[in-house]
Amino acid sequence: MIIKSMSRNSSSFRQLLSYLDKDEAQDKFNWNMYSDCQNSKELVKEFMENAEYLRESRGKNYLYHEVISLQEQNLDLKKSSEILRDLANKYVSQRAMNQMVYGVIHSDTR
């Protein structure tokens, strides 16, 4: 398993969401959010409203873009998705339990 964490110090929610949602038939999920994870406009609005609570300061982070990937294995797509969903749940419960989280499981190998 490989985990990559990238912080963003600008409110580029729309850009990141566009990248995450590039393929329609993906497994999407969210935590601590009211928005429907299938509705991009609602998601962006909720993230932007939440960002208003950040105080003006140097070095603040609007969001983290986390990537969890499995090393190449001989698993079918369904099993890989189940494993990734479970890993994401465990990761979020330890890293960002009380934070807003939006996630997408990508099945590509790029």
Side-chain angles (χ1 to χ4, degrees), residues 2 61 63 66 86 90:
I2 299 168
N61 290 318
L63 62 95
E66 311 277 351
D86 187 48
K90 289 177 181 170

Side-chain angles (χ1 to χ4, degrees), residues 34-79:
Y34 297 107
S35 300
D36 175 1
C37 63
Q38 302 297 325
N39 187 324
S40 296
K41 283 185 179 183
E42 283 183 21
L43 289 166
V44 169
K45 181 181 177 206
E46 190 168 350
F47 273 111
M48 293 301 290
E49 288 172 353
N50 188 64
E52 291 176 16
Y53 292 102
L54 291 174
R55 294 190 178 115
E56 288 299 320
S57 65
R58 290 176 30 155
K60 66 182 172 185
N61 290 318
Y62 280 93
L63 62 95
Y64 287 92
H65 177 187
E66 311 277 351
V67 177
I68 301 172
S69 60
L70 299 175
Q71 294 177 344
E72 193 171 326
Q73 300 179 18
N74 293 329
L75 298 173
D76 63 25
L77 184 58
K78 182 179 179 194
K79 187 64 177 171

Side-chain angles (χ1 to χ4, degrees):
M1 174 176 68
I2 299 168
I3 299 175
K4 183 176 181 181
S5 179
M6 299 156 281
S7 62
R8 292 197 178 197
N9 58 6
S10 66
S11 56
S12 55
F13 304 110
R14 188 177 324 278
Q15 176 198 21
L16 182 57
L17 191 66
S18 176
Y19 166 73
L20 292 173
D21 290 347
K22 64 185 177 208
D23 300 321
E24 285 296 317
Q26 296 169 334
D27 186 4
K28 302 175 184 181
F29 50 91
N30 57 354
W31 290 272
N32 298 323
M33 297 183 72
Y34 297 107
S35 300
D36 175 1
C37 63
Q38 302 297 325
N39 187 324
S40 296
K41 283 185 179 183
E42 283 183 21
L43 289 166
V44 169
K45 181 181 177 206
E46 190 168 350
F47 273 111
M48 293 301 290
E49 288 172 353
N50 188 64
E52 291 176 16
Y53 292 102
L54 291 174
R55 294 190 178 115
E56 288 299 320
S57 65
R58 290 176 30 155
K60 66 182 172 185
N61 290 318
Y62 280 93
L63 62 95
Y64 287 92
H65 177 187
E66 311 277 351
V67 177
I68 301 172
S69 60
L70 299 175
Q71 294 177 344
E72 193 171 326
Q73 300 179 18
N74 293 329
L75 298 173
D76 63 25
L77 184 58
K78 182 179 179 194
K79 187 64 177 171
S80 292
S81 292
E82 288 173 10
I83 291 170
L84 283 169
R85 169 78 72 151
D86 187 48
L87 285 170
N89 279 315
K90 289 177 181 170
Y91 185 77
V92 168
S93 70
Q94 293 183 14
R95 169 106 164 96
M97 183 178 212
N98 297 317
Q99 307 303 315
M100 293 172 40
V101 174
Y102 173 72
V104 178
I105 295 178
H106 292 272
S107 59
D108 62 359
T109 56
R110 292 176 261 158

